[in-house]
mmCIF file of all heavy atoms in Angstrom:
data_model
loop_
_atom_site.group_PDB
_atom_site.id
_atom_site.type_symbol
_atom_site.label_atom_id
_atom_site.label_comp_id
_atom_site.label_asym_id
_atom_site.label_seq_id
_atom_site.Cartn_x
_atom_site.Cartn_y
_atom_site.Cartn_z
ATOM 1 N N ARG J 291 5.116 8.622 -7.570
ATOM 2 C CA ARG J 291 4.057 8.474 -6.575
ATOM 3 C C ARG J 291 2.722 8.089 -7.203
ATOM 4 O O ARG J 291 1.662 8.477 -6.724
ATOM 5 C CB ARG J 291 3.912 9.778 -5.783
ATOM 6 C CG ARG J 291 5.185 10.195 -5.061
ATOM 7 C CD ARG J 291 5.066 11.563 -4.430
ATOM 8 N NE ARG J 291 4.879 12.606 -5.437
ATOM 9 C CZ ARG J 291 4.717 13.891 -5.147
ATOM 10 N NH1 ARG J 291 4.701 14.284 -3.889
ATOM 11 N NH2 ARG J 291 4.567 14.771 -6.113
ATOM 12 N N VAL J 311 8.377 -18.371 -21.504
ATOM 13 C CA VAL J 311 7.687 -19.652 -21.725
ATOM 14 C C VAL J 311 7.695 -20.015 -23.207
ATOM 15 O O VAL J 311 7.952 -21.167 -23.583
ATOM 16 C CB VAL J 311 6.248 -19.592 -21.184
ATOM 17 C CG1 VAL J 311 5.453 -20.826 -21.616
ATOM 18 C CG2 VAL J 311 6.248 -19.463 -19.664
ATOM 19 N N PHE J 352 -6.980 -9.916 16.217
ATOM 20 C CA PHE J 352 -8.161 -9.807 17.078
ATOM 21 C C PHE J 352 -7.750 -9.874 18.548
ATOM 22 O O PHE J 352 -8.250 -9.106 19.379
ATOM 23 C CB PHE J 352 -9.149 -10.921 16.758
ATOM 24 C CG PHE J 352 -10.355 -10.948 17.649
ATOM 25 C CD1 PHE J 352 -11.384 -10.047 17.469
ATOM 26 C CD2 PHE J 352 -10.450 -11.875 18.686
ATOM 27 C CE1 PHE J 352 -12.495 -10.058 18.299
ATOM 28 C CE2 PHE J 352 -11.553 -11.891 19.519
ATOM 29 C CZ PHE J 352 -12.573 -10.985 19.324
ATOM 30 N N GLU J 355 -5.057 -6.543 19.062
ATOM 31 C CA GLU J 355 -5.435 -5.176 18.691
ATOM 32 C C GLU J 355 -6.914 -4.864 18.860
ATOM 33 O O GLU J 355 -7.324 -3.721 18.671
ATOM 34 C CB GLU J 355 -5.025 -4.906 17.228
ATOM 35 C CG GLU J 355 -3.533 -5.078 16.954
ATOM 36 C CD GLU J 355 -2.690 -4.030 17.638
ATOM 37 O OE1 GLU J 355 -3.215 -2.924 17.908
ATOM 38 O OE2 GLU J 355 -1.509 -4.302 17.935
ATOM 39 N N LEU J 376 -15.939 -22.846 -1.155
ATOM 40 C CA LEU J 376 -17.120 -23.661 -0.841
ATOM 41 C C LEU J 376 -18.266 -23.353 -1.797
ATOM 42 O O LEU J 376 -18.991 -24.265 -2.226
ATOM 43 C CB LEU J 376 -17.557 -23.404 0.603
ATOM 44 C CG LEU J 376 -16.616 -23.910 1.696
ATOM 45 C CD1 LEU J 376 -17.105 -23.462 3.067
ATOM 46 C CD2 LEU J 376 -16.496 -25.432 1.637
ATOM 47 N N ARG J 383 -21.724 -28.856 -7.865
ATOM 48 C CA ARG J 383 -22.608 -29.987 -7.529
ATOM 49 C C ARG J 383 -24.047 -29.720 -7.954
ATOM 50 O O ARG J 383 -24.741 -30.636 -8.435
ATOM 51 C CB ARG J 383 -22.561 -30.224 -6.005
ATOM 52 C CG ARG J 383 -21.218 -30.689 -5.475
ATOM 53 C CD ARG J 383 -20.879 -32.096 -5.980
ATOM 54 N NE ARG J 383 -21.841 -33.066 -5.549
ATOM 55 C CZ ARG J 383 -21.760 -33.747 -4.397
ATOM 56 N NH1 ARG J 383 -20.738 -33.528 -3.580
ATOM 57 N NH2 ARG J 383 -22.673 -34.635 -4.074
ATOM 58 N N ALA J 401 -10.106 -11.952 -9.762
ATOM 59 C CA ALA J 401 -8.879 -11.883 -10.568
ATOM 60 C C ALA J 401 -8.472 -10.429 -10.804
ATOM 61 O O ALA J 401 -7.285 -10.084 -10.718
ATOM 62 C CB ALA J 401 -9.098 -12.595 -11.899
ATOM 63 N N TYR J 413 4.715 -2.593 -6.389
ATOM 64 C CA TYR J 413 5.212 -1.225 -6.559
ATOM 65 C C TYR J 413 5.476 -0.548 -5.220
ATOM 66 O O TYR J 413 6.380 0.297 -5.110
ATOM 67 C CB TYR J 413 4.242 -0.385 -7.384
ATOM 68 C CG TYR J 413 4.858 0.941 -7.756
ATOM 69 C CD1 TYR J 413 5.976 0.982 -8.590
ATOM 70 C CD2 TYR J 413 4.377 2.132 -7.245
ATOM 71 C CE1 TYR J 413 6.580 2.178 -8.915
ATOM 72 C CE2 TYR J 413 4.977 3.338 -7.568
ATOM 73 C CZ TYR J 413 6.081 3.345 -8.406
ATOM 74 O OH TYR J 413 6.698 4.538 -8.713
ATOM 75 N N SER J 414 4.709 -0.886 -4.184
ATOM 76 C CA SER J 414 5.009 -0.355 -2.856
ATOM 77 C C SER J 414 6.416 -0.754 -2.432
ATOM 78 O O SER J 414 7.149 0.036 -1.840
ATOM 79 C CB SER J 414 3.995 -0.879 -1.826
ATOM 80 O OG SER J 414 2.705 -0.407 -2.099
ATOM 81 N N VAL J 431 6.848 14.233 10.073
ATOM 82 C CA VAL J 431 6.473 12.959 10.691
ATOM 83 C C VAL J 431 4.956 12.931 10.856
ATOM 84 O O VAL J 431 4.384 13.785 11.546
ATOM 85 C CB VAL J 431 7.155 12.773 12.062
ATOM 86 C CG1 VAL J 431 6.957 11.328 12.536
ATOM 87 C CG2 VAL J 431 8.634 13.118 11.994
ATOM 88 N N ALA J 435 -2.538 7.664 16.565
ATOM 89 C CA ALA J 435 -3.203 7.757 17.863
ATOM 90 C C ALA J 435 -2.242 7.600 19.039
ATOM 91 O O ALA J 435 -1.325 6.764 19.007
ATOM 92 C CB ALA J 435 -4.296 6.703 17.947
ATOM 93 N N PHE J 456 17.397 12.728 10.472
ATOM 94 C CA PHE J 456 17.850 14.030 10.950
ATOM 95 C C PHE J 456 19.335 13.993 11.300
ATOM 96 O O PHE J 456 20.098 14.903 10.961
ATOM 97 C CB PHE J 456 17.027 14.437 12.172
ATOM 98 C CG PHE J 456 17.489 15.703 12.836
ATOM 99 C CD1 PHE J 456 17.140 16.949 12.319
ATOM 100 C CD2 PHE J 456 18.285 15.661 13.973
ATOM 101 C CE1 PHE J 456 17.571 18.122 12.924
ATOM 102 C CE2 PHE J 456 18.719 16.829 14.589
ATOM 103 C CZ PHE J 456 18.361 18.055 14.058
ATOM 104 N N MET J 483 4.680 13.943 20.195
ATOM 105 C CA MET J 483 5.751 13.552 19.275
ATOM 106 C C MET J 483 6.982 14.435 19.457
ATOM 107 O O MET J 483 8.121 13.953 19.482
ATOM 108 C CB MET J 483 5.237 13.632 17.830
ATOM 109 C CG MET J 483 4.132 12.629 17.513
ATOM 110 S SD MET J 483 3.165 13.084 16.047
ATOM 111 C CE MET J 483 4.385 12.853 14.744
ATOM 112 N N PRO J 493 17.346 18.620 19.189
ATOM 113 C CA PRO J 493 17.211 19.971 19.755
ATOM 114 C C PRO J 493 15.798 20.524 19.556
ATOM 115 O O PRO J 493 15.225 20.413 18.471
ATOM 116 C CB PRO J 493 18.236 20.785 18.962
ATOM 117 C CG PRO J 493 19.217 19.781 18.446
ATOM 118 C CD PRO J 493 18.425 18.534 18.188
#
Side-chain angles (χ1 to χ4, degrees):
R291 301 173 296 178
V311 170
F352 176 77
E355 301 292 334
L376 291 174
R383 294 293 299 271
Y413 190 64
S414 295
V431 191
F456 174 80
M483 294 161 69

